[in-house]
Amino acid sequence: MKIGVLISEGPYTHQAADTAFKFVTAAIAAGHEVPRVFFYHDGVNVATRLSVPPQDERNIQQNWSGLAKEHGTDLVVCIAAAQRRGLLDENEANRQGKDANNIADGFRISGLGQLIEMGIQCDRLVTFGD
Amino acid sequence: MSDVKKFLYVNRKAPYGTIYALESLEVVLIGAAFEQDVSLAFLDDGVFQLTKGQKTDGIGVKNFSPTFRALGDYEVTKLYVEKESLEERGLTEDDLQEIMYEDEDDDWEEKPSIRIVSRAEMADVMADQDVVLSF
């Protein structure tokens, strides 16, 4: 089955990004396809490479970046939600005249159309949030 | 197989205080370009999103409630509002904005987009969907 995933709550504050990670890992192991994960609302904060959690805690961003590297999962961060919350890739940082970018490996910033497209193309869309 | 899916956007939260309602509406507006069969549901505190006379000057955020009246232009014409959620909050249909659309299949007659449904009917609306996005 082709499964699309939406994450709509922020890392560490909320369980959503952790549970979604376990779900996606299990789904792929069971032979399902997870072509894309879409990050919305505070979920976009998963994508910052500048988070430094204590060493004895899981690193949520690195979990996801590792998954993208291993399985080619398309990790898409909503541009409108990202810009409000200070998540920028190199292009956006230049375009907005900012002095830094912070998007982690494996993530890309794109539009909400990618969420709708995922809903159209996947057999199921599973939301992790409140 | 038809490539049009039934999308339902479920709005459960008050319009201000958190960003969920505004960012839900942003998905609806972008999603309209994909020509899917779109419905919106309003339940729990989500029914407050449609109330008329919203004034947000005092809290320094944008009043986005007029945008709901433009949804008809995006061919988003089915706004299901749960009757019990209204009643539990002391609201009636008269407290909601008038939201109309022009029915292209009926000589462009103006019709109301808001449909008040019972909790049981809302369950049927949800069961009928392909994709449910809950905010």
Side-chain angles (χ1 to χ4, degrees):
Chain A
M1 186 180 282
K2 205 181 272 188
I3 304 170
V5 171
L6 168 65
I7 296 175
S8 59
E9 291 292 338
Y12 303 104
T13 302
H14 199 288
Q15 174 81 24
D18 294 294
T19 310
F21 178 74
K22 289 184 186 303
F23 173 84
V24 171
T25 305
I28 293 172
H32 298 293
E33 250 184 281
V34 184
R36 179 176 295 158
V37 177
F38 193 88
F39 296 82
Y40 197 42
H41 301 310
D42 278 358
V44 299
N45 290 310
V46 171
T48 178
R49 65 166 187 270
L50 300 182
S51 77
V52 189
Q55 286 191 353
D56 59 350
E57 277 186 34
R58 80 268 186 233
N59 187 315
I60 298 174
Q61 172 263 311
Q62 284 178 8
N63 281 348
W64 283 104
S65 290
L67 183 112
K69 195 174 178 189
E70 191 176 345
H71 298 289
T73 313
D74 187 20
L75 307 180
V76 181
V77 179
C78 168
I79 187 165
Q83 287 184 335
R84 284 194 180 103
R85 294 166 176 85
L87 262 290
L88 298 166
D89 61 14
E90 198 179 343
N91 279 341
E92 276 306 300
N94 289 337
R95 203 166 71 85
Q96 304 289 347
K98 298 292 184 183
D99 61 3
N101 67 77
N102 58 346
I103 198 97
D105 280 347
F107 293 85
R108 67 184 178 95
I109 292 183
S110 188
L112 280 165
Q114 304 278 305
L115 169 62
I116 307 297
E117 186 186 83
M118 181 171 82
I120 294 169
Q121 293 176 351
C122 289
D123 301 306
R124 294 282 188 280
L125 193 153
V126 184
T127 302
F128 293 85
D130 255 350
Chain B
M1 192 187 96
S2 162
D3 53 2
V4 174
K5 281 192 174 180
K6 299 181 96 162
F7 275 69
L8 177 70
Y9 298 91
V10 183
N11 298 284
R12 297 172 294 130
K13 297 193 170 78
Y16 311 105
T18 64
I19 201 168
Y20 298 101
L22 173 62
E23 287 191 335
S24 169
L25 192 54
E26 289 183 348
V27 182
V28 173
L29 295 174
I30 297 288
F34 286 76
E35 297 182 345
Q36 302 294 301
D37 181 354
V38 173
S39 303
L40 273 58
F42 295 86
L43 46 103
D44 300 343
D45 280 349
V47 297
F48 284 115
Q49 294 180 28
L50 297 178
T51 54
K52 57 187 169 196
Q54 295 180 24
K55 290 192 180 65
T56 58
D57 302 346
I59 55 171
V61 298
K62 194 167 100 180
N63 174 6
F64 60 89
S65 64
T67 310
F68 289 111
R69 293 201 295 274
L71 286 177
D73 299 336
Y74 291 83
E75 291 181 35
V76 176
T77 60
K78 291 173 284 192
L79 276 57
Y80 297 96
V81 180
E82 193 186 76
K83 185 167 172 279
E84 287 87 341
S85 291
L86 287 172
E87 288 170 357
E88 285 160 7
R89 288 158 183 80
L91 298 172
T92 68
E93 189 171 0
D94 289 341
D95 294 307
L96 306 182
Q97 298 191 69
E98 191 175 60
I99 300 175
M100 308 294 285
Y101 74 100
E102 294 175 343
D103 188 349
E104 61 178 339
D105 298 324
D106 193 6
D107 199 24
W108 304 101
E109 192 180 310
E110 279 223 319
K111 296 183 179 177
S113 296
I114 291 181
R115 304 160 192 212
I116 309 289
V117 296
S118 70
R119 197 156 275 169
E121 289 167 330
M122 187 65 93
D124 293 337
V125 169
M126 289 185 178
D128 193 36
Q129 305 296 322
D130 297 309
V131 179
V132 177
L133 290 160
S134 184
F135 295 102

